Amino acid sequence: MTDSSRLRIAIQKSGRLSDDSIALLKAIGVKLQIRDRLLIAHSTNQPIDLLRVRDDDIPGLVMDGVVDLGFIGENELEEKMLERQAASKRSEFSTLRRLDYGGCRLSIAVPSEFNYQGIQSLNGMKVATTYPYLLERFFIEKGIDASAVMLTGSVEVAPRAGVADAICDLVSTGATLEANGLKEEEVIFTSKAVLIQRGGSLPPEKQALIDRLLPRIDGVMQAKE
Ligand code: ATP
Ligand code: ZN
């Protein structure tokens, strides 16, 4: 099924990064036949296989050298890096390109009735998030004594459910926050999609293929400017 001489690229199976990542690959001339349920997709004109997974798994797959490249949001990448550091796991990779999609920010938001008067107002608070490492790093940098409550979903309803006082979640337009009676107060991280490569050297023919693809990515991004 998988052939180690083919370049392996991890992409999000279905979500906010999937369509743009596939569109970019197609735009640089990688023909793909994607069947919805399948984990693997083979290119029909290049020695490239796509591994279609949850975005949470992509940093680990690259850092463990299971795949050669990955398309991932910087937010997820940075969070997983911090998580691996805490567990003393290697997190070797290089960022090849910062891409022009997947833009968002990780922000702290509080209920609209919360009398927010700057980050000091977060002292003693519980903040629900899917990004506990990024949030705790922010608290430490700012000298705030607050705690991160990890939730993998439904973060925006945590204050209403009495689970937390505030949230720290990804925002692009702010419409979801508003719909949940929350106001954005602090941006703690800004993010875009990036293309990353695993650490260590690749077989020369794989590296040569990557080196041919990168200028095409630059060309596609320039054409959109
Ligand atoms: P998966 O099932 O793969 O784990 P997910 O629910 O974690 O999916 P998505 O909501 O599809 O992930 O978001 C994937 C990435 O898209 C985010 O980590 C972030 O980098 C980017 N993104 C861009 N805009 C937004 C937004 N408004 N909200 C959330 N993520 C966004
Ligand atoms: Zn995810």
Side-chain angles (χ1 to χ4, degrees), residues 69-181:
L69 302 180
F71 289 97
I72 185 65
E74 289 170 308
N75 55 301
E76 195 65 53
L77 176 62
E78 187 80 5
E79 176 72 11
K80 285 293 186 294
M81 236 163 62
L82 295 174
E83 187 183 321
R84 288 173 72 102
Q85 270 166 20
S88 302
K89 277 195 190 168
R90 286 188 319 126
S91 50
E92 250 182 73
F93 71 95
S94 55
T95 300
L96 300 179
R97 290 295 184 272
R98 193 168 200 234
L99 303 167
D100 57 2
Y101 61 87
C104 59
R105 52 195 190 271
L106 184 64
S107 292
I108 295 177
V110 301
S112 43
E113 65 279 8
F114 190 124
N115 177 25
Y116 190 84
Q117 302 193 323
I119 45 178
Q120 297 303 327
S121 299
L122 296 171
N123 271 312
M125 299 288 154
K126 286 195 181 72
V127 184
T129 188
T130 310
Y131 300 92
Y133 286 94
L134 285 170
L135 180 57
E136 274 163 6
R137 181 173 72 180
F138 175 81
F139 288 153
I140 289 167
E141 277 171 10
K142 301 289 177 188
I144 303 294
D145 181 22
S147 55
V149 177
M150 171 68 175
L151 284 181
T152 56
S154 308
V155 171
E156 66 287 350
V157 303
R160 234 184 307 143
V163 172
D165 306 291
I167 71 161
C168 174
D169 205 2
L170 295 175
V171 183
S172 46
T173 63
T176 309
L177 291 183
E178 208 176 309
N180 285 284

Side-chain angles (χ1 to χ4, degrees), residues 12-17 53-56 72-76 102-104 131 170-173 191-193:
Q12 189 186 23
K13 185 164 196 281
S14 93
R16 288 186 152 98
L17 301 177
V53 294
R54 288 198 60 187
D55 70 336
D56 312 53
I72 185 65
E74 289 170 308
N75 55 301
E76 195 65 53
C104 59
Y131 300 92
L170 295 175
V171 183
S172 46
T173 63
S191 181
K192 279 191 168 188

Side-chain angles (χ1 to χ4, degrees), residues 25-82:
L25 286 170
K26 289 188 172 166
I28 61 172
V30 179
K31 288 197 175 139
L32 295 164
Q33 214 175 31
I34 291 176
R35 293 207 205 122
D36 235 12
R37 286 170 311 128
L38 293 187
L39 172 71
I40 301 270
H42 304 286
S43 167
T44 51
N45 68 336
Q46 301 272 3
I48 295 177
D49 293 330
L50 293 192
L51 198 62
R52 304 169 62 230
V53 294
R54 288 198 60 187
D55 70 336
D56 312 53
D57 296 335
I58 294 174
L61 289 169
V62 173
M63 292 173 197
D64 290 330
V66 176
V67 298
D68 304 305
L69 302 180
F71 289 97
I72 185 65
E74 289 170 308
N75 55 301
E76 195 65 53
L77 176 62
E78 187 80 5
E79 176 72 11
K80 285 293 186 294
M81 236 163 62
L82 295 174

